[in-house]
Amino acid sequence: MNLRSVLPFVVAVGIGALIGVAVYSCIPKTAFVDNQRLFDAFQGRKELESRLKQTFNQKQLMIDSLGLQIKSLQQTAATSTAQQMRLQGMIQQYQQMQKDTQNDYQYKSQEYTEAIWKQISTYTREYGEQHHYDYVFGIAGSGSLMFGKPHYDITDDVIQFVNDRYAGK
């Protein structure tokens, strides 16, 4: 075997390798995260949810206290018209407090959820940039991405990253 007979083979292999590298470099690097798992595991969500529940529980204590006053007054209000009128006013106040508290809870919950998703999106974008992804899809079962092969699932890595970023690491 001489150099002239091997040279075309070496050139062909080299060109094939260059084409392979060129084709491979054109393929976008993609992955996906399970949105629900990411949301549930995000430490910022857990802290905001805890704050929201604490606020709601404090308001609920006031409502429960008023409920106890109403029960107490109901037992004695049967004889006095003035007490019956006072009882009616307290019942209306109780119902309004319950309604206002529930509405406030729903509003704050939605507000917190939007803030959490905004923060998660920012951190996920940073993760994608740092790890040179062209696309990081969210899988949620809502039609955006219904399936991905498990080896493209970077949810656990992103959960760790967003929680580290949230903790200031």
Side-chain angles (χ1 to χ4, degrees):
M1 214 192 286
N2 65 21
L3 185 60
R4 284 190 167 170
S5 64
V6 176
L7 189 58
F9 177 74
V10 170
V11 169
V13 168
I15 290 173
L18 287 173
I19 291 172
V21 167
V23 168
Y24 180 76
S25 67
C26 293
I27 297 172
K29 184 176 178 183
T30 63
F32 70 90
V33 296
D34 182 322
N35 289 338
Q36 192 60 52
R37 277 185 41 219
L38 178 57
F39 183 81
D40 290 343
F42 180 47
Q43 191 61 38
R45 179 204 57 86
K46 293 175 184 178
E47 289 177 16
L48 283 176
E49 188 175 273
S50 176
R51 261 192 262 159
L52 182 62
K53 284 182 180 180
Q54 186 178 23
T55 300
F56 180 74
N57 287 341
Q58 289 173 349
K59 290 182 179 184
Q60 191 61 46
L61 285 174
M62 292 188 322
I63 292 170
D64 292 346
S65 175
L66 183 57
L68 290 173
Q69 291 175 20
I70 289 171
K71 273 188 175 182
S72 175
L73 193 56
Q74 282 175 331
Q75 294 171 355
T76 61
T79 58
S80 168
T81 305
Q83 285 183 334
Q84 286 178 352
M85 289 178 63
R86 181 171 174 239
L87 177 62
Q88 280 298 71
M90 288 175 72
I91 290 172
Q92 288 175 352
Q93 180 184 5
Y94 176 82
Q95 291 170 340
Q96 188 63 45
M97 284 176 70
Q98 281 186 314
K99 181 181 173 186
D100 291 346
T101 300
Q102 187 62 31
N103 288 342
D104 188 44
Y105 182 82
Q106 288 174 348
Y107 175 78
K108 286 287 188 196
S109 179
Q110 181 178 353
E111 189 178 82
Y112 283 177
T113 298
E114 290 171 5
I116 290 164
W117 275 117
K118 185 175 180 180
Q119 198 166 26
I120 287 173
S121 294
T122 299
Y123 292 157
T124 303
R125 189 176 310 110
E126 288 177 19
Y127 178 89
E129 289 170 357
Q130 287 182 16
H131 292 85
H132 308 290
Y133 282 97
D134 295 300
Y135 302 100
V136 175
F137 296 99
I139 188 168
S142 61
S144 58
L145 178 66
M146 298 299 289
F147 171 77
K149 290 185 178 178
H151 65 273
Y152 292 112
D153 185 352
I154 59 171
T155 305
D156 292 332
D157 294 336
V158 174
I159 288 170
Q160 182 68 45
F161 182 85
V162 299
N163 284 328
D164 286 349
R165 286 287 290 121
Y166 181 76
K169 296 179 185 176

